[in-house]
């Protein structure tokens, strides 16, 4: 009986020990960490680095200025009998704009012409008398005093005829002033006087303002630090200048740089430049504020990427370059200029390398990416734009 109890106790100890070992093994198995899943690829939009000739521009803000502006005034007094233009009409030099009543001046010319004819007749008679007196004097039948009197009378009438002709010429000039014409080619403004009113030479507003807009000028400013480079390039030839709209999206016209002002504005540290544009499409208008781009040089085989690819960090500009294995590498870059959505890169990337242009906000060096194309890329751009708009 005693031996049986000892065996039962031993068997219980063995069973309990085996259960403890099994429980401990199970507990270790339940607390072990599962293997980490592979990193999900981050969707991005990428584009290659391109090489080509890249224009280098100096950019400033300027104001369009009319090439010529003339107030059409009358040089005589008279009643306006006709308006020969429409407000806003394009006119050429010499085109009739208005007619002043010419009748008073025509009547004056007729009167002066009659005086001239009368004095010419008297001169002719005096010349005949002088000829007879001279003949008689040569024969001793007329005194020297008589001959001299005839000579004086003839000379007086000759001067009278000259004076009459001068008065007629002056009257014809006055008659010509009854036609108010455009002194320059351009565009008419608002009419300042109506038909039937009397116009005077002293009227401040005149008849109308004519503004020449073909060609047209642009005055713009650039920092004084750019002056040596501008002067160096001007010595090589004419510099092309492009005018853009205020938002920079529309090209308005292309012209040439005329001059650099002869002094620097000390208050602003800028220099003023003047460019000329043909303005055939009339997109440039006097007083318009525009963006001016002065072509200063052309970089041969320059490397460019989308401006959105360039990010800013504590150490400067950088981009994410997509490796062949689908991961990205953070690359510091040196940006020469950003123009119309394209960044010119001096260093940091090579031609035909692929860089991320959208979706960088989730990336870090070594991240795995998935390049999106087509509609998926367009949707990603919209999503990115929404996220950037959220403060």
């Amino acid at each position: 009986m005693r031996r049986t109890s000892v065996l039962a106790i031993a068997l219980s100890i063995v069973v309990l020990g085996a259960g403890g070992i099994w429980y401990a093994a199970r507990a270790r198995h339940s607390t072990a960490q599962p293997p980490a899943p592979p990193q999900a690829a981050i969707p991005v939009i990428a584009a290659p680095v391109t090489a080509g000739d890249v224009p280098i521009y100096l950019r400033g803000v300027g104001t369009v200025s009319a090439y010529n502006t003339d107030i059409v005034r009358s040089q005589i007094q008279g009643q306006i009998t006709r308006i020969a233009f429409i407000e806003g009409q394009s006119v050429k030099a010499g085109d009739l704009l208005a007619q002043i009543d010419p009748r008073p001046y025509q009547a004056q010319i007729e009167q002066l012409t009659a005086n001239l004819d009368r004095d010419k007749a008297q001169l002719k008679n005096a010349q005949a008398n002088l000829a007879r007196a001279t003949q008689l004097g040569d024969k001793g039948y007329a005194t020297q005093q008589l001959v001299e009197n005839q000579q004086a009378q003839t000379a007086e009438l000759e001067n009278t005829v000259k004076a009459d002709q001068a008065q007629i010429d002056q009257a014809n000039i006055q008659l010509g002033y009854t036609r108010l014409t455009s002194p320059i080619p351009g565009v008419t403004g608002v009419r300042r006087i109506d038909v039937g009113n009397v116009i005077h030479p002293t009227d401040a507003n005149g008849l109308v303002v004519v503004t020449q807009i073909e060609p047209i000028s642009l005055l713009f400013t650039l920092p004084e630090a750019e002056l040596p480079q501008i002067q160096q390039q001007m010595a090589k030839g004419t510099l092309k200048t492009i005018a853009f709209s205020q938002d920079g999206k529309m090209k308005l016209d292309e012209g040439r740089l005329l001059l650099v002002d002869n002094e620097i504005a000390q208050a602003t540290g800028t220099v003023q430049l003047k460019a000329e544009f043909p303005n055939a499409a009339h997109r440039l208008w006097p007083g318009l504020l525009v963006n001016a781009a002065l072509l200063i040089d052309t970089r041969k085989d320059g490397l460019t990427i989308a401006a959105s690819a360039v990010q800013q960090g504590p150490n400067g500009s950088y981009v994410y370059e997509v490796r062949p294995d689908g991961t990205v590498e953070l690359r510091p870059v040196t940006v020469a200029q950003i123009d119309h959505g394209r960044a010119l890169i001096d260093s940091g990337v090579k031609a035909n390398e692929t860089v991320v242009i959208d979706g960088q906000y989730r990336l870090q060096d070594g991240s795995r990416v998935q390049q999106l194309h087509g509609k998926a890329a367009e949707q990603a751009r919209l999503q990115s734009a929404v996220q950037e708009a959220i403060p």
Side-chain angles (χ1 to χ4, degrees):
M1 182 69 178
R2 186 175 180 181
R3 185 178 178 180
T4 303
S5 298
V6 171
L7 291 173
I9 292 171
L11 182 61
S12 298
I13 293 173
V14 172
V15 171
L16 290 174
I21 293 171
W22 174 83
Y23 181 79
R26 184 176 180 183
R28 286 195 302 270
H29 179 74
S30 63
T31 57
Q33 295 295 330
Q39 180 185 13
I42 300 173
V44 297
I45 302 173
V49 179
T50 59
D53 293 345
V54 182
I56 307 296
Y57 290 103
L58 299 179
R59 296 187 176 273
V61 178
T63 304
V64 179
S65 176
Y67 211 72
N68 286 300
T69 299
D70 283 326
I71 302 176
V72 180
R73 293 188 175 94
S74 174
Q75 299 190 59
I76 59 172
Q77 177 178 318
Q79 185 182 47
I80 298 291
T81 59
R82 179 190 172 195
I83 297 294
F85 72 95
I86 300 173
E87 294 169 318
Q89 173 186 345
S90 294
V91 295
K92 300 185 294 294
D95 282 355
L96 179 66
L97 300 179
Q99 178 69 58
I100 298 174
D101 186 0
R103 292 175 298 176
Y105 301 96
Q106 290 171 343
Q108 184 181 12
I109 290 174
E110 291 176 358
Q111 180 181 356
L112 293 174
T113 302
N115 294 340
L116 176 62
D117 292 340
R118 179 199 63 200
D119 294 335
K120 280 183 176 181
Q122 292 178 355
L123 173 61
K124 185 177 181 181
N125 185 55
Q127 289 172 339
N129 291 335
L130 176 60
R132 287 192 294 270
T134 302
Q135 291 177 357
L136 293 174
D138 293 340
K139 296 179 181 180
Y141 298 119
T143 63
Q144 185 63 29
Q145 180 67 36
L146 177 62
V147 175
E148 292 177 356
N149 288 342
Q150 281 303 130
Q151 289 175 341
Q153 184 179 7
T154 301
E156 181 180 357
L157 288 172
E158 286 176 348
N159 290 329
T160 301
V161 168
K162 290 180 181 179
D164 290 343
Q165 186 60 56
Q167 289 180 341
I168 292 174
D169 293 341
Q170 178 64 25
N172 279 318
I173 293 175
Q174 298 292 314
L175 180 62
Y177 289 156
T178 61
R179 288 174 51 87
L180 298 181
T181 59
S182 177
I184 59 173
V187 176
T188 60
V190 178
R191 188 177 71 244
R192 307 298 177 86
I193 192 169
D194 297 326
V195 173
N197 290 323
V198 175
I199 193 169
H200 305 83
T202 56
D203 292 341
N205 294 329
L207 171 69
V208 69
V209 176
V210 179
T211 302
Q212 183 177 355
I213 60 174
E214 292 185 51
I216 205 164
S217 301
L218 173 65
L219 298 174
F220 63 101
T221 57
L222 290 174
E224 61 179 323
E226 309 289 358
L227 181 58
Q229 186 179 9
I230 295 172
Q231 292 173 327
Q232 181 181 4
Q233 296 301 323
M234 286 183 68
K236 299 178 181 178
T238 303
L239 299 184
K240 182 169 69 174
T241 308
I242 303 176
F244 292 94
S245 58
Q246 293 185 38
D247 58 10
K249 296 180 179 179
M250 179 182 292
K251 179 180 177 180
L252 301 178
D253 204 358
E254 184 176 306
R256 62 190 182 95
L257 183 66
L258 284 183
L259 61 91
V260 178
D261 200 6
N262 57 5
E263 63 178 355
I264 293 174
Q266 296 295 326
T268 59
T270 58
V271 61
Q272 189 176 63
L273 301 94
K274 184 177 183 179
E276 178 186 86
F277 296 85
N279 200 30
H282 292 184
R283 290 180 177 175
L284 296 176
W285 214 248
L288 181 67
L289 188 67
V290 300
N291 290 320
L294 179 65
L295 180 61
I296 205 70
D297 197 6
T298 299
R299 179 77 62 85
K300 301 295 183 181
D301 297 324
L303 301 179
T304 61
I305 58 177
S308 59
V310 180
Q311 304 294 301
Q312 298 298 325
N315 297 324
S317 301
Y318 65 92
V319 299
Y320 284 107
E321 188 262 336
V322 182
R323 298 168 176 165
D325 62 358
T327 61
V328 295
E329 176 187 355
L330 189 150
R331 291 269 195 91
V333 294
T334 303
V335 180
Q337 75 166 13
I338 295 179
D339 186 66
H340 281 74
R342 300 292 296 178
L344 176 62
I345 305 300
D346 278 343
S347 64
V349 294
K350 299 178 181 179
N352 300 320
E353 288 184 334
T354 302
V355 295
V356 178
I357 64 173
D358 198 2
Q360 300 98 320
Y361 64 96
R362 295 172 56 189
L363 297 181
Q364 58 184 2
D365 194 17
S367 296
R368 184 170 300 278
V369 296
Q370 175 191 3
Q371 297 186 43
L372 301 179
H373 306 279
K375 292 183 178 180
E378 189 64 29
Q379 292 176 354
R381 285 193 183 94
L382 294 175
Q383 183 179 2
S384 178
V386 171
Q387 290 175 344
E388 290 178 359
I390 298 175

